[in-house]
Amino acid sequence: MSNIIKNVILVLSALCGFMIIAVTSGITFFDCFKYLSYSFFYVLFPGWVVYLVLIKDRGTALRQFCLGWALGYVLEGWVYLFRPLLGQGITFYGTMLIGFCLFPFVIPKLKDVRERERIMNSEMLAYIIISIGVILVIKFCNISGVYLPSETQGVTYYQDLVWHLSLAGEVKWHNFPFQNPSVSGEPMRYYFLPYIHIATASSITGIDLSRVVLRLFPFELYFLWAMVLCWAGRELIGKFTGVATASLVLLIGSLSGLFVLNSARKMGSAALYADDLFFNYIFWSAFQSPGFLMGIVFFVALIVLIAEATRGSADFGMAKISLIILLIAASAFTKSVLMPILIMGIAGILAWQIFIRHNVDKVIAILFLLMCVTYVITKSYTQSIYVNYVKFTPFKLLFDIDINSVAMYYAHKYFPGLLWLVKVGLPGFVIFGYAPLSIFGFMLFIIYRKLNLNTEEVWLMSLYLGSFFIAMLFSLNGGEWGFLGYGSVPLAIMSTKGLTALFKIGSKSHKNLAAKFIVLILLISGLTTTVVKCAFPTVSRYYYVKRYGEKPLLSAGLFKGLRWLRENTPRDAVIAVNFTQDLWKEKKTWYYTEFSEREKYFYYSAFSERRFFLEGTFPTPQFHRWANVYKQDPAYVPFADRRILLSSFFDKKDRGALIEMRDKFNVSYVLVDKRRELNVWLMSFDEELMYKVYSNSDVDIYQILKSSQAHENSPN
């Protein structure tokens, strides 16, 4: 069987595996086919062609696949941003045109396949199996607890997912610069490259945004995440080692599973649905953050390319530097924690070259300056929610997680005389338990290298230690989890080096055998955690009921009303909703008693794909000033002027408030959520200023008359 036929079989096997998982998760075969076609023709193909045009030494098929896909995202973003100048058609055909126009220039390169560019079919099969295995795990860990919206049954989502869906809707229907769809007229101060991909895919394929955000996009990015990790391991360590690198990050979990299983014996099945006891939230945190998922692709690509730059190879010219620059720029608009991590990594190399080698590499110095400039230019637009309210809280993260109380319980019960020793050793145990096999492999790496590191390893070490200590020393409004997640990648690469060295050593000494036995135990315990999370996912109906209550936050009636808005209103419509009225009278759960949590209700804009006068105010700068500077003082509640207008209209029948919202803020529709504590007068509101255009059991929708129309209907 020829090598080409074997490669075709491998590709078809990967596609079949992807489609089976997607179809069994609620996506139709046709939608899955359209999305895969879009990903190939609009992302991978043009990115691959541009990569081959830029780079003379093209590398293996796996390298071309990973860097081509990453470049495809970059091209997709640039094409979208030029849409206002070049028209809507450029969005639909731009990247494909780039690919087909440049393709003739790469045909000569395809004819000459060098032996060192080949990759064994068995190795490629192993990488595909790992990648399909990862999205299968994600299906059970995350997807199983996240239902698709329905017109027949209500549903509740983790608020971040709804927020990302809302932002994707804004990007889908509007041009740059974007507005905050939850506070109309306010700028969207957040990274936007992931939403460009989601929105463009939805626009071109016709697939509903919710299906892209909740199913297809995560499947695509987790598959790609696994593939780029396999590629990184292969490039930086050796053949087949990518399997270990990808597994350490994505499949081998913390020590949590063993403790959870033990707790379940005494507490019942509820204990099985608990959070990871060692703060290893990579699976869930990544799933609910499109930026984190897409950022991994750029991050791993930059790790490999900059590692190659540190080797001082003669063929590392302007083409590869240009590729790095493109990926750095994309990273700045993909995830806010990426640039600080990259800057710390490059700074570590520079410090090592200045103080140890006494010789600074010009390429590294240029990249450092470029990253700093990029960070300064973009941080005010994309990172305001983190950098403005950084708090120095050394190692607070270690003592806020659940394993501390669990460990102290067992210490009191079984080792009361050693309680002091448990308290002293607990921080180290928590750090080790977060990613035990990766940490052990990292320790082996340090032992075998004896701190005699080369520049490439200094780069990896700086990335890991920088991200780790930032997460440990500072509170970043949740951003510390991003640092831990990205830091797990260089940690896994160094750990793979350590584990590879261990198993290459032929010695049968007691130390060597003991180390291998520890690896086996940690491997089993880590896989146990993953299996437990697949069988009993943290985000499940139990989680939603505990956090949000029994009633769904998105009822079937509300969903129908929001879909009516999407299909029957102009894309620039602004809608006022009775957001200031409480949702139901039963405030038994944390969600309804915490004001800050109620500020994260983004369902209206997310499922109508329209802008709202005032909905949830998180994570606007105004919200964070109120939460961090004013300590949630009611006198400084965010957007108080808008709240007063909503309250005046919905609670006091103040027509002047409606007129001001219409004339000053361009509000053109009113959505009445009848599940909230509603004043009865709205149910019979006259048609002088607005008239009813839609109604069901949960919502009424009114269209506001323009000032001239209202004047004509006036009794005077």
Side-chain angles (χ1 to χ4, degrees):
M1 187 183 296
S2 70
N3 196 57
I4 294 177
I5 295 176
K6 291 179 180 178
N7 288 335
V8 170
I9 292 174
L10 285 174
V11 172
L12 291 177
S13 300
L15 291 175
C16 287
F18 185 98
M19 294 189 77
I20 289 171
I21 295 173
V23 169
T24 55
S25 301
I27 301 299
T28 66
F29 176 85
F30 188 50
D31 279 353
C32 189
F33 175 77
K34 288 192 295 183
Y35 191 83
L36 287 173
S37 300
Y38 170 83
S39 297
F40 177 80
F41 288 107
Y42 286 81
V43 181
L44 176 58
F45 173 70
W48 171 71
V49 171
V50 170
Y51 170 75
L52 291 183
V53 170
L54 278 175
I55 306 300
K56 181 180 179 181
D57 184 12
R58 63 190 183 185
T60 63
L62 182 60
R63 181 187 181 93
Q64 295 173 43
F65 173 84
C66 294
L67 289 176
W69 208 308
L71 273 177
Y73 289 139
V74 177
L75 291 176
E76 187 183 40
W78 279 110
V79 166
Y80 185 93
L81 293 178
F82 279 105
R83 184 171 69 169
L85 298 176
L86 303 176
Q88 184 73 19
I90 192 66
T91 305
F92 288 86
Y93 307 111
T95 56
M96 286 184 65
L97 286 173
I98 292 172
F100 284 117
C101 289
L102 294 178
F103 186 68
F105 296 97
V106 306
I107 292 177
K109 292 186 176 183
L110 301 179
K111 297 178 181 179
D112 177 29
V113 181
R114 302 169 189 172
E115 186 61 33
R116 64 190 178 86
E117 293 177 347
R118 297 184 186 276
I119 184 169
M120 294 173 57
N121 289 318
S122 57
E123 185 181 2
M124 197 66 201
L125 178 62
Y127 296 154
I128 290 175
I129 290 173
I130 283 289
S131 301
I132 294 296
V134 165
I135 61 174
L136 188 62
V137 167
I138 292 306
K139 170 182 166 60
F140 291 107
C141 274
N142 290 331
I143 299 296
S144 61
V146 180
Y147 303 105
L148 293 172
S150 168
E151 292 189 357
T152 59
Q153 187 175 4
V155 66
T156 295
Y157 296 108
Y158 183 67
Q159 63 260 18
D160 284 16
L161 288 174
V162 188
W163 179 43
H164 295 305
L165 185 57
S166 173
L167 299 184
E170 166 68 18
V171 174
K172 179 179 179 179
W173 296 109
H174 302 93
N175 296 323
F176 182 84
F178 307 113
Q179 292 184 22
N180 185 339
S182 298
V183 188
S184 63
E186 289 292 309
M188 189 179 102
R189 295 184 180 276
Y190 208 62
Y191 49 79
F192 51 77
L193 192 58
Y195 309 113
I196 288 179
H197 176 64
I198 293 168
T200 309
S202 176
S203 296
I204 292 176
T205 63
I207 303 172
D208 189 83
L209 268 181
S210 62
R211 279 159 170 73
V212 177
V213 172
L214 303 177
R215 293 291 189 273
L216 292 167
F217 179 81
F219 283 151
E220 172 197 357
L221 267 294
Y222 272 106
F223 180 87
L224 190 54
W225 188 354
M227 291 298 285
V228 296
L229 287 173
C230 289
W231 166 60
R234 189 183 195 278
E235 292 281 336
L236 300 180
I237 305 169
K239 296 179 179 179
F240 285 98
T241 56
V243 172
T245 304
S247 299
L248 285 170
V249 176
L250 294 169
L251 295 179
I252 302 173
S254 70
L255 291 176
S256 179
L258 300 177
F259 290 93
V260 167
L261 287 173
N262 185 63
S263 299
R265 290 192 306 110
K266 303 174 182 178
M267 300 170 54
S269 60
L272 294 168
Y273 294 96
D275 287 332
D276 191 289
L277 300 176
F278 288 87
F279 61 83
N280 191 335
Y281 301 119
I282 291 177
F283 275 121
W284 177 243
S285 292
F287 174 73
Q288 55 86 23
S289 175
F292 187 101
L293 285 173
M294 184 176 283
I296 279 287
V297 179
F298 301 134
F299 183 57
V300 176
L302 286 168
I303 285 178
V304 175
L305 291 172
I306 294 176
E308 292 174 350
T310 64
R311 296 170 184 171
S313 175
D315 65 347
F316 198 91
M318 283 305 301
K320 288 188 178 180
I321 294 176
S322 299
L323 180 57
I324 291 175
I325 291 172
L326 286 173
L327 295 176
I328 289 173
S331 300
F333 292 100
T334 303
K335 187 65 178 175
S336 55
V337 302
L338 265 176
M339 291 308 299
I341 295 174
L342 291 170
I343 289 172
M344 287 186 292
I346 289 286
I349 297 177
L350 284 176
W352 183 76
Q353 290 180 338
I354 292 171
F355 297 108
I356 305 298
R357 284 183 50 189
H358 307 291
N359 181 26
V360 176
D361 188 328
K362 292 181 180 179
V363 172
I364 299 301
I366 291 171
L367 291 177
F368 176 74
L369 291 175
L370 177 67
M371 287 180 184
C372 291
V373 170
T374 303
Y375 179 77
V376 170
I377 292 174
T378 61
K379 77 181 183 67
S380 62
Y381 185 82
T382 61
Q383 302 181 18
S384 59
I385 65 169
Y386 291 138
V387 299
N388 292 342
Y389 307 110
V390 173
K391 298 177 182 177
F392 182 65
T393 54
F395 298 100
K396 179 176 181 293
L397 186 66
L398 295 181
F399 299 101
D400 284 349
I401 59 175
D402 296 335
I403 191 59
N404 290 282
S405 57
V406 174
M408 293 305 296
Y409 166 80
Y410 285 111
H412 274 290
K413 186 173 182 179
Y414 298 108
F415 310 104
L418 298 176
L419 190 60
W420 65 272
L421 184 61
V422 174
K423 290 181 178 180
V424 171
L426 192 55
F429 176 65
V430 172
I431 294 172
F432 180 77
Y434 165 73
L437 188 53
S438 289
I439 296 293
F440 186 71
F442 175 68
M443 294 165 61
L444 292 174
F445 168 74
I446 296 296
I447 292 170
Y448 290 132
R449 293 295 295 162
K450 298 178 181 179
L451 291 181
N452 185 24
L453 306 179
N454 57 37
T455 312
E456 178 183 311
E457 291 165 342
V458 169
W459 161 237
L460 294 172
M461 186 75 73
S462 300
L463 287 171
Y464 170 60
L465 294 180
S467 59
F468 175 78
F469 281 109
I470 287 291
M472 290 296 112
L473 298 178
F474 299 97
S475 293
L476 306 166
N477 285 321
E480 54 269 24
W481 303 109
F483 281 94
L484 284 173
Y486 283 116
S488 67
V489 175
L491 172 65
I493 295 172
M494 291 185 289
S495 176
T496 303
K497 287 190 173 188
L499 294 172
T500 302
L502 172 66
F503 285 93
K504 279 185 176 180
I505 295 175
S507 171
K508 294 185 178 180
S509 65
H510 293 302
K511 290 182 179 180
N512 189 270
L513 292 175
K516 291 179 179 178
F517 180 74
I518 293 172
V519 169
L520 178 62
I521 297 299
L522 296 179
L523 174 64
I524 293 172
S525 66
L527 292 175
T528 299
T529 299
T530 303
V531 172
V532 169
K533 287 295 100 182
C534 286
F536 305 97
T538 299
V539 180
S540 58
R541 174 166 171 74
Y542 172 80
Y543 170 88
Y544 289 127
V545 170
K546 181 181 178 181
R547 182 171 185 134
Y548 302 108
E550 288 282 351
K551 294 182 179 179
L553 294 182
L554 179 69
S555 65
L558 175 61
F559 180 67
K560 290 179 183 178
L562 297 176
R563 283 302 192 235
W564 185 93
L565 281 171
R566 186 186 69 176
E567 302 299 330
N568 295 278
T569 60
R571 65 179 60 183
D572 59 349
V574 178
I575 301 145
V577 64
N578 49 328
F579 165 73
T580 54
Q581 296 173 330
D582 287 333
L583 188 60
W584 305 310
K585 296 181 180 179
E586 300 177 7
K587 307 180 186 65
K588 298 179 181 179
T589 66
W590 172 56
Y591 179 76
Y592 301 109
T593 57
E594 287 289 330
F595 175 83
S596 60
E597 286 298 302
R598 287 184 281 128
E599 292 294 294
K600 300 175 183 177
Y601 189 94
F602 308 104
Y603 287 83
Y604 300 124
S605 58
F607 291 96
S608 68
E609 298 173 23
R610 294 295 181 267
R611 293 167 175 167
F612 274 73
F613 173 66
L614 187 65
E615 188 186 31
T617 64
F618 178 89
T620 59
Q622 292 88 335
F623 175 88
H624 283 287
R625 278 198 298 271
W626 167 77
N628 294 281
V629 177
Y630 300 119
K631 308 301 181 184
Q632 302 189 22
D633 186 340
Y636 297 96
V637 66
F639 299 101
D641 56 336
R642 299 194 185 213
R643 295 175 192 275
I644 291 171
L645 288 174
L646 288 176
S647 180
S648 297
F649 174 65
F650 285 106
D651 296 334
K652 303 174 184 177
K653 199 176 180 178
D654 184 349
R655 296 166 186 264
L658 180 63
I659 293 172
E660 184 173 349
M661 286 190 288
R662 179 195 66 190
D663 296 343
K664 183 177 179 181
F665 296 97
N666 298 316
V667 174
S668 51
Y669 288 84
V670 170
L671 171 67
V672 180
D673 187 346
K674 292 188 282 191
R675 303 171 307 157
R676 294 183 180 270
E677 295 181 349
L678 184 65
N679 270 335
V680 179
W681 70 267
L682 264 171
M683 310 297 288
S684 58
F685 188 73
D686 57 52
E687 297 187 356
E688 289 184 17
L689 291 177
M690 63 183 190
Y691 61 95
K692 187 181 294 185
V693 291
Y694 178 86
S695 180
N696 66 33
S697 59
D698 287 341
V699 299
D700 287 333
I701 299 175
Y702 297 84
Q703 182 171 356
I704 301 175
L705 294 170
K706 296 179 181 179
S707 57
S708 57
Q709 294 172 312
H711 182 73
E712 291 173 2
N713 291 348
S714 171
N716 297 323

